[in-house]
Amino acid sequence: MRKTFVAAVAALAMTAGPAGAQEKVVKIGVPLPLTGAEAKFGEMEKQAYEMAAEEINAKGGVKGHKLSFDIQDSGGKAETATAIVEKFVSINKYPFVVGEYSSQCSYSVAAVAEKYKVPYLVVTGAADKITQQGWKYVFRLNPPSSLYNMGVFSFFETVAKPKSIAILYENTDFGNSTSKAMKEYCKAKGINIVLDEGYQAGAVDFKPILQKVKSLRPDIVYMVSYLMDASLLMRQSKELDINPQAFIGGGAGHTLPEFLQNAAEASEYCMSATLWTPQVKYPGAKEFFDKFKAKFGKEPDYHGVEAYAAAYVTADTLKRAKEWTAEAIRTALAATNMMTAFGPIKFIAWDQFTNQNRMETLVLQVQKKKYETIWPKDAASAKYVYPVPRWRDRK
Amino acid sequence: MTPQLAGQIELFLQVVIAGILLGGLYSLIGLGMSLIMGVMRIINLAHGELMMVAMYITYLAFSLVHVDPYVSLFIVLPALFLIGAGLQKYLITPVMDVESVLPQNQVLLTVGIGIVLSNLAQLIFSADYMSVPVSYASKTIYWDVNVGGQTISLSFNFPFLVAFAIAIGLGAALFLFLGKTDIGRMIRATAQDKRAAAIMGINTKRITYITFGLGAALVGAAGTLLAPVYYIYPAIGGPFTSKAFIITVLGGMGNIAGAVLGGLVLGLGESLGSVYISLGYKDAFGFVIFVLVLIFLPKGLLGKSSV
């Protein structure tokens, strides 16, 4: 009796021993909006981080450690995101912070990271100012919002050649920053800006302002919208029979799979700036899209792939860092030069930007209820339709 | 008349129409809160979340069994009435009876109810945006008017028009109910003087259950009417709670007719302001009107005659 007991204890100790030794984990802090109005994006990114971590760990993890993302809910509020990062740095002692979603939150987190001298990788926050502060510890994976329009600009110059434009944008860091780039471009090129209006997100009825757009008859209606405002703007434009040469979105809201469902036929032929589509030719892009869709039953948009790429950049940085301290990780992160499913990642400085990744941006168009890449030509999956048919002439 | 002037007139009239139609929906949202305020003297800060619950019921009815949103009013109204009455009976009333440090702890309780409801919704439906894609969502009725030789084309969005009509209908029904029925009179008596009403043999507790149920059903109706033209997500309640609050204060706390007027003023103010001042301050207009009313008409637009 006693013998079997001793044997059992010994067996237990033996199995527990090596298993415990193997379970070395390296944790990275990630604040994300898992509740509140931005929760949809937070959820998508969380799934992408976890999917990437699984893949990385299946291939042996990082230097014998399991990579784990400690994802905490910020509710999309800058104060909460700041508090979470303070906790990450001072209590959890994480040497590296990644993530957040909106520009507001990313900007607040960046300020905290800089203060504590902890490297922070911005993944989706796009307002230009985040990497224009000369901050040493803040790096950005996504291009700044003023570059979101690069594809659209080249489309304007080669194909559209518009004479007038109406600009509607959400009154947020992202909306202001993206629309400002468009305004500066139009002024430089002599495109007449007939309307320039910021709006409060989540409005029920855009018809009053759209009525004004209609009366001004611009060639292009350009919109920067998060969330579902994009669908409402398109639905109500169709309702009011507004017929510019093209509707163009500035990314975000106009690139979501939900946009196609909610705006339904009103989304047809709508164009948008975008950073990524599953049709890009980067290695792993299509695989990511298919795997994500199969695993979670939902299509990811560019926010998902940004998070996925961020996880790989994190793993790569940790592998190259001499030791896992904030300083060493910062040095390794600055030297990043790798290819991801999102595109090539390298942090460089130009103009006022520092530690900023730079990449080509695309234009997509909804054709037959699907997103097709239409610009630049060499990345296109379908030919553009421009000018778009009038609402009444369709079908 | 020049085409330019006609264009300006068309824009103005169209904006006024949009404001009034939206105001009808706002009135319905404000009515429920005002009714609850009038009888229980508490601000129900879970009001927008109750609307969210109604929107999800509408969504489920549409996506699972293809019930038209307007037909689903017959499910939503009783369901929200029961939820509202239940909340009052099992959560709010027990708290009202307790002596507490904070005199307004029922209001805090409603905040908590709101948080629980929106988190439950996220748990069940995830954070995705959902919509009720009815075929008539962007159906529009055009009306051409001839003014001084120029044709002005006015458009009316069908779902907004229906929502406005139903909102007016429900508002009228509420007036009749409060004025002509026994229960309605009991509600008014309770609102005027709870203790005296109790002495007269009115079961004031039961009246509070009914009132909260009615308030929830009204905002539920607003949610169902909004579903075809808007979208649904778990955190949608917050902004609408603050709109309802503005309307309630605008109309005079607890004044039913005032709530209708307050809703229309808010709808008109938002749409006129967004075109003629700036769209970015759309939500600010509501608060500016709100502050002005508090300063110059502290009893609200129609004064504080209760229910």
Side-chain angles (χ1 to χ4, degrees):
Chain A
M1 187 67 197
R2 182 188 281 176
K3 259 186 195 164
T4 49
F5 178 75
V6 171
V9 170
L12 263 176
M14 276 170 74
T15 49
Q22 253 175 20
E23 279 297 295
K24 280 195 292 186
V25 178
V26 52
K27 280 193 165 188
I28 304 298
V30 181
L32 274 181
L34 300 177
T35 56
E38 291 157 7
K40 142 107 205 138
F41 302 95
E43 212 168 71
M44 185 202 292
E45 291 193 31
K46 179 171 184 269
Q47 289 165 338
Y49 281 114
E50 284 169 354
M51 192 171 111
E54 260 172 44
E55 290 173 10
I56 292 162
N57 292 331
K59 284 180 197 147
V62 182
K63 287 187 183 170
H65 287 64
K66 212 173 135 232
L67 178 63
S68 157
F69 291 102
D70 184 0
I71 297 171
Q72 299 281 334
D73 178 22
S74 70
K77 295 192 182 80
E79 317 85 81
T80 318
T82 312
I84 289 171
V85 174
E86 300 240 358
K87 182 183 146 269
F88 279 162
V89 174
S90 47
I91 298 173
N92 302 101
K93 307 276 180 209
Y94 296 149
F96 192 8
V97 177
V98 178
E100 246 315 321
Y101 172 71
S102 70
S103 292
Q104 273 101 330
C105 289
S106 302
Y107 187 62
S108 311
V109 169
V112 176
E114 183 70 15
K115 187 173 107 191
Y116 288 102
K117 296 193 175 8
V118 169
Y120 169 47
L121 179 62
V122 182
V123 181
T124 52
D128 285 0
K129 64 178 180 185
I130 300 173
T131 43
Q132 285 180 333
Q133 310 292 327
W135 283 336
K136 203 176 149 209
Y137 293 85
V138 179
F139 294 76
R140 179 153 58 185
L141 178 105
N142 57 310
S145 64
S146 58
L147 290 193
Y148 275 42
N149 287 315
M150 293 314 272
V152 175
F153 294 161
S154 102
F155 181 76
F156 275 4
E157 276 153 35
T158 328
V159 182
K161 304 190 173 73
K163 294 196 173 55
S164 58
I165 188 167
I167 300 174
L168 286 170
Y169 59 95
E170 188 192 87
N171 247 349
T172 57
D173 279 355
F174 174 70
N176 284 320
S177 185
T178 313
S179 63
K180 196 174 141 225
M182 176 56 85
K183 275 178 252 174
E184 279 165 7
Y185 172 82
C186 291
K187 271 180 203 148
K189 297 283 169 185
I191 299 170
N192 184 18
I193 302 171
V194 293
L195 180 98
D196 168 20
E197 279 280 356
Y199 68 83
Q200 199 85 42
V204 180
D205 198 0
F206 288 102
K207 268 170 276 169
I209 196 69
L210 286 172
Q211 194 73 37
K212 203 168 158 186
V213 171
K214 188 182 180 184
S215 67
L216 295 166
R217 299 176 184 279
D219 285 349
I220 302 284
V221 176
Y222 177 75
M223 299 157 280
V224 187
S225 313
Y226 261 129
L227 314 177
M228 299 295 282
D229 297 330
S231 315
L232 285 188
L233 279 166
M234 288 311 297
R235 261 158 56 176
Q236 297 177 358
S237 295
K238 177 170 184 276
E239 206 175 287
L240 294 176
D241 198 28
I242 303 176
N243 289 299
Q245 310 281 304
F247 290 95
I248 302 180
H254 290 86
T255 64
L256 295 178
E258 280 81 356
F259 174 64
L260 299 181
Q261 291 159 20
N262 286 296
E265 68 268 34
S267 70
E268 191 71 11
Y269 299 125
C270 181
M271 298 179 187
S272 177
T274 189
L275 304 178
W276 185 87
T277 64
Q279 292 131 0
V280 295
K281 292 172 180 82
Y282 304 125
K286 194 178 177 311
E287 288 78 0
F288 162 76
F289 183 82
D290 293 340
K291 189 176 171 191
F292 191 99
K293 200 176 162 189
K295 194 167 167 149
F296 302 109
K298 285 178 206 169
E299 289 183 7
D301 66 358
Y302 67 81
H303 299 98
V305 77
E306 281 171 340
Y308 181 77
Y312 274 94
V313 170
T314 305
D316 176 71
T317 304
L318 292 176
K319 274 178 199 161
R320 286 183 291 105
K322 287 204 186 75
E323 45 175 5
W324 288 345
T325 61
E327 263 332 301
I329 288 175
R330 197 211 83 88
T331 313
L333 186 59
T336 300
N337 186 2
M338 68 181 293
M339 183 53 99
T340 65
F342 177 58
I345 309 292
K346 191 179 176 187
F347 301 106
I348 54 169
W350 80 87
D351 292 348
Q352 293 144 346
F353 292 108
T354 52
N355 300 336
Q356 172 67 57
N357 186 31
R358 184 170 191 158
M359 61 194 299
E360 196 170 45
T361 58
L362 315 163
V363 184
L364 53 75
Q365 185 173 36
V366 181
Q367 293 183 1
K368 300 197 178 74
K369 296 187 176 167
K370 266 180 67 192
Y371 284 123
E372 298 286 356
T373 315
I374 55 157
W375 203 262
K377 253 184 193 153
D378 53 340
S381 62
K383 179 148 170 57
Y384 56 83
V385 175
Y386 183 92
V388 302
R390 294 157 55 89
W391 295 110
R392 287 179 199 195
D393 301 341
R394 297 186 186 184
K395 277 180 198 159
Chain B
M1 195 188 294
T2 61
Q4 282 79 13
L5 183 61
Q8 285 300 317
I9 293 174
E10 181 181 301
L11 178 62
F12 177 75
L13 289 178
Q14 194 69 62
V15 171
V16 169
I17 290 169
I20 291 175
L21 291 182
L22 185 62
L25 261 178
Y26 283 175
S27 296
L28 202 50
I29 297 171
L31 264 180
M33 188 186 257
S34 214
L35 184 67
I36 293 169
M37 175 74 213
V39 175
M40 268 87 85
R41 301 269 170 262
I42 63 166
I43 283 286
N44 170 27
L45 291 177
H47 210 60
E49 277 76 13
L50 288 170
M51 190 185 93
M52 180 265 308
V53 171
M55 292 177 93
Y56 274 109
I57 295 175
T58 310
Y59 169 79
L60 281 182
F62 182 83
S63 58
L64 296 182
V65 275
H66 303 291
V67 179
D68 186 271
Y70 299 129
V71 178
S72 70
L73 274 178
F74 292 102
I75 312 167
V76 168
L77 288 175
L80 263 287
F81 180 85
L82 289 179
I83 293 172
L87 285 177
Q88 176 69 28
K89 184 169 183 183
Y90 297 108
L91 290 172
I92 300 174
T93 304
V95 173
M96 275 184 146
D97 292 343
V98 177
E99 286 284 323
S100 72
V101 191
L102 287 164
Q104 293 295 330
N105 56 354
Q106 317 89 309
V107 179
L108 294 182
L109 177 67
T110 63
V111 175
I113 293 171
I115 294 173
V116 169
L117 285 178
S118 70
N119 280 287
L120 268 182
Q122 183 163 346
L123 208 65
I124 301 170
F125 298 100
S126 85
D128 288 357
Y129 302 101
M130 293 166 181
S131 62
V132 181
V134 288
S135 55
Y136 49 77
S138 43
K139 197 176 156 194
T140 312
I141 298 158
Y142 295 96
W143 184 37
D144 291 338
V145 206
N146 202 313
V147 182
Q150 298 286 338
T151 311
I152 290 177
S153 169
L154 299 176
S155 63
F156 298 84
N157 174 256
F158 177 71
F160 267 104
L161 213 54
V162 172
F164 186 77
I166 294 180
I168 296 295
L170 285 174
L174 181 69
F175 273 106
L176 284 179
F177 174 76
L178 290 176
K180 304 284 179 198
T181 65
D182 282 350
I183 296 178
R185 291 197 188 96
M186 287 189 219
I187 290 178
R188 277 158 56 215
T190 311
Q192 280 161 18
D193 191 330
K194 200 172 175 182
R195 202 168 288 171
I199 293 169
M200 293 299 160
I202 295 172
N203 183 348
T204 52
K205 271 202 178 145
R206 215 180 113 239
I207 292 300
T208 60
Y209 308 155
I210 293 173
T211 310
F212 206 102
L214 279 176
L218 286 169
V219 76
T224 302
L225 295 174
L226 200 55
V229 286
Y230 204 53
Y231 45 88
I232 309 164
Y233 64 99
I236 197 172
F240 286 94
T241 300
S242 60
K243 282 206 199 321
F245 184 58
I246 293 173
I247 295 164
T248 303
V249 174
L250 264 180
M253 311 279 260
N255 186 319
I256 298 296
V260 175
L261 188 65
L264 290 174
V265 167
L266 185 66
L268 267 175
E270 278 190 7
S271 69
L272 285 171
S274 66
V275 168
Y276 293 105
I277 306 175
S278 166
L279 188 57
Y281 300 110
K282 193 173 190 323
D283 287 355
F285 298 129
F287 285 105
V288 169
I289 299 171
F290 175 79
V291 171
L292 290 178
V293 166
L294 279 183
I295 295 171
F296 296 107
L297 298 164
K299 289 183 174 175
L301 292 171
L302 291 188
K304 189 185 164 183
S305 74
S306 46
V307 180

